[in-house]
Amino acid sequence: MTRRIERKLRKIGRQGNPDRAFVRTLEAQLRQKVGHPIWWIRWSKFAAVGATALILATSATGVYAYTSDNVLPNHPLYSVRLDIEKVEEALAVTPRARAAVIRQIKKRRTKEHRIMRTRLELRNRRAHMRAKQVKFLEDDQVKLREDRQKTQEQRIHIREETPKDLRGRIERIRGEHSADASDIRGEPIHAAFRVIQATGTIDAASGTEINRDREASHSLDD
Amino acid sequence: MDLKHFPDFYRVNVQRIHRFIYFRVRGDTDVAEDLTQDVFLKAFAAFESYDPNISSSSWIFTIARNHVINYMQKQHPGTSLDEIENTIWDRIPWDKKMESRHDQKRLMEALRQLPEQDREIVRLKHIEGWTFNEIAEKMGKNAGALRVQSHRALRALRKIMKQK
């Protein structure tokens, strides 16, 4: 609780702080009396460090801009590359050197165009593939929706079916299946029917049974 | 000590010396700056003969105190040294010289009601920014005891302000 009072007292104390200009002026006066301006030696250390950092940063940026393949005409550091090339051209004094520099610059421009073209193609291809994927997914979605709808309709239809309709459907399915079954068993049944006809066991027209014993003895004799 | 160390010595002590003088010259900034300059020029002149075994703050504060007393005697001739030394703080008309807010003025009024030693501890520690070790050296007391006394003084101050 005494902290408020302490803060107020410190605030009062700060009113007694000297003006910065006064402090600096008096310091300069005293340093002059001392005889050597140590202050500039001390501050020059910081200035040297700052200047070195700036030079390193600038040169690193320059090297990157000049050598990197990522620095293309749409890159912010492209202008740095062009400036370095201008300097290079200016430093090439002899015609031979100048020709070599120009050749190098042309090579570099060609490389940049090639890289840009490749990247553009790649980008277009990716875009095309993405579009295809999207279309495929969309079609898939549509098909899925249709199937769902169909299933939904069938379910509704089944729910709404009366028992009579259901019986009719079952008979139809049985009919289909029995036809299928006779086809599958096929030849042996028809062959058996023909044999029975041939032996006279069943009248072919009406399908009624004839006296078997009488017919069987005939067939044996034959 | 070598004079080349004086600028560092100056930077360490200038703010506290200025505060010390400021609160003893009724908050007059111009006078405080003049006296601060004089103190450091005197210290510079005597710096080579300064013994580094003695605390640097004690040394410079002694120079400052003596210089302020000399100044006040010139301003108010006929007053004794003790009078100047002891009442130097109480002479500050807070409502005239310093642009203090009402609560700060109340605080300073309350501070004057504290016993002399408590008042001195609070003033040196919280207003002028001395450390407890420096105050202990000046008053010839233990730093821990001074810490406790300071805390009690602040509580008493709070009580006085609540009553007002």
Side-chain angles (χ1 to χ4, degrees), chain B residues 20 24 65 85-86 88-89 111 114-128 130 135 138-139 146 149-150 153:
Chain B
F20 177 84
R24 280 159 179 74
R65 180 179 149 275
E85 177 99 40
N86 293 330
I88 208 164
W89 179 250
L111 189 61
L114 289 179
E116 195 190 320
Q117 240 189 23
D118 289 354
R119 194 170 59 221
E120 177 124 357
I121 292 168
V122 168
R123 184 188 77 205
L124 290 173
K125 172 66 188 157
H126 299 289
I127 296 178
E128 294 185 21
W130 290 45
I135 301 169
K138 182 182 189 287
M139 290 176 130
L146 285 172
Q149 199 174 350
S150 165

Side-chain angles (χ1 to χ4, degrees), chain A residues 5, chain B residues 103 106-107 110 157-164:
Chain A
I5 290 178
Chain B
D103 53 346
R106 272 182 61 224
L107 181 58
L157 200 57
R158 186 163 62 98
K159 204 172 171 181
I160 295 167
M161 285 188 75
K162 271 188 177 175
Q163 282 167 1
K164 287 198 169 206

